[in-house]
Amino acid sequence: HSKPNTMPHARNEGIPLDLAWVERSVVNLPAVKRRAETFKAKRSVKMQWQAAWLLRAVTLTDLTTLSGDDTETNVERLCFKAKSPVRQDILRDLHMEDKHITTGAVCVYPSRVAEAVRYLEGTGIPVASVAAGFPAGQTPLRIRLLEIEDAVQAGAKEIDIVITRAHVLNGDWKALYDETVAMRKACGDSKLKTILATGELGTLTNVYKASLVCMMAGADTIKTSTGKEGVNATLEVAFTMVRAIRDYYEVTGFKVGFKPAGGIRAAKDALVWLALMKDELGDEWTKPDLFRLGASALLVDIERQLYHHTTGRYAAAHQIPMS
């Protein structure tokens, strides 16, 4: 029942830093705000289509635990949930019990990677790890690169790194590019997801420029947030980042993934994110190799909504196992 974690598209090899492209980029803030407001108001998916989209959202979820009190026990529980994210009776009612639905990945701190790899053995579910001085990114680069290499050696197939926000705030795009190139090299064959920590970058123009520079440096995916900032994944930021992905693809032919993270808890939010990807980038960007949702509480609400869809009533809290 394993599903290979392959990237069906050519990997983003990156391009030389194009400072002229970066410097001339400007985001029209009022236009982005207007697009975000109207988008949320008019996009909705109903009935059986909603159930299908919610099941897709499950397969896109990076099921995450990033707490100071993480232990092997809750990593084991998380991996169990990743392997079987939706109750079997619900899947039977939806005629989906033979589709081997799992989450997109399990995301943990580097020290917990080996345990997660062990518990997910044979499932094909990749282990992702935050590294490079997560969440602040204020550790010396040498140590951050070592942390990436350690996580990869322990079996992490995806690395969610944090960028140095100061490079963006100072407009030092070469430093951001060089740092990301070094991190991509440290990842080897593992997927590089660069967390921009957009809530700390000041402006949407900075968000766009940072997105471009990370993609030029070879990022496989760009991610909004650590989930630890005051402001996490917003639609304004999303439109800015996915437009950067589209622009980069049109110029280079390389497809780069997107991962919003932080504050995504409700099933209806997952539907909005999916609709956004379909609208802005097309169907290919609604699949796990190019789109992920960073979340820990989201699965519980998706399961509640699917339970309601199949039974006509809402589940009591004790009927939906915790993730």
Side-chain angles (χ1 to χ4, degrees), residues 218-265:
D220 296 298
T221 293
I222 53 175
K223 176 177 167 182
T224 60
S225 325
T226 62
K228 312 284 186 189
E229 295 97 67
V231 178
N232 293 300
T234 67
L235 287 183
E236 289 83 358
V237 158
F239 279 114
T240 303
M241 291 175 71
V242 297
R243 290 288 167 94
I245 288 171
R246 191 202 294 178
D247 294 344
Y248 182 78
Y249 172 60
E250 283 171 359
V251 170
T252 67
F254 289 126
K255 294 173 183 173
V256 174
F258 178 61
K259 179 179 171 181
I264 304 169
R265 292 189 176 86

Side-chain angles (χ1 to χ4, degrees), residues 31-248:
V32 173
K33 283 189 159 170
R34 202 161 51 242
R35 173 85 171 108
E37 279 159 21
T38 55
F39 184 83
K40 202 160 187 180
K42 71 181 183 193
R43 286 289 178 276
S44 67
V45 185
K46 298 287 184 244
M47 305 305 288
Q48 70 267 37
W49 293 280
Q50 188 179 80
W53 276 45
L54 287 175
L55 283 175
R56 170 67 63 85
V58 169
T59 69
L60 300 168
T61 300
D62 280 3
L63 193 57
T64 302
T65 184
L66 297 170
S67 301
D69 58 358
D70 283 343
T71 62
E72 182 168 350
T73 306
N74 60 329
V75 169
E76 181 182 14
R77 191 180 67 172
L78 203 73
C79 293
F80 181 80
K81 186 70 178 170
K83 289 186 268 193
S84 183
V86 181
R87 276 173 38 167
Q88 282 302 308
D89 56 330
I90 297 174
L91 290 176
R92 270 196 303 276
D93 288 342
L94 294 167
H95 308 295
M96 296 294 283
E97 70 273 24
D98 58 343
K99 294 289 185 277
H100 313 304
I101 287 172
T102 69
T103 64
V106 164
C107 184
V108 293
Y109 273 116
S111 59
R112 309 253 75 101
V113 167
E115 296 157 2
V117 167
R118 196 165 72 244
Y119 289 120
L120 292 173
E121 199 178 342
T123 63
I125 303 169
V127 174
S129 182
V130 295
F134 180 94
Q138 295 282 14
T139 320
L141 183 60
R142 179 176 54 84
I143 308 293
R144 294 162 77 195
L145 295 174
L146 204 57
E147 193 179 24
I148 293 170
E149 287 163 8
D150 271 10
V152 170
Q153 212 170 353
K157 295 286 182 238
E158 304 181 1
I159 301 292
D160 292 34
I161 64 106
V162 282
I163 65 166
T164 301
R165 279 66 124 190
H167 294 335
V168 179
L169 297 171
N170 296 332
D172 193 346
W173 304 114
K174 184 170 183 338
L176 178 62
Y177 178 86
D178 291 345
E179 166 183 284
T180 309
V181 165
M183 290 180 181
R184 160 73 191 259
K185 190 175 173 209
C187 284
D189 292 332
S190 294
K191 184 187 269 195
L192 172 65
K193 290 140 94 182
T194 56
I195 305 171
L196 302 185
T198 54
E200 298 175 348
L201 298 187
T203 67
L204 287 182
T205 295
N206 274 350
V207 169
Y208 183 92
K209 289 178 175 180
S211 300
L212 265 189
V213 172
C214 286
M215 291 187 286
M216 290 174 181
D220 296 298
T221 293
I222 53 175
K223 176 177 167 182
T224 60
S225 325
T226 62
K228 312 284 186 189
E229 295 97 67
V231 178
N232 293 300
T234 67
L235 287 183
E236 289 83 358
V237 158
F239 279 114
T240 303
M241 291 175 71
V242 297
R243 290 288 167 94
I245 288 171
R246 191 202 294 178
D247 294 344
Y248 182 78

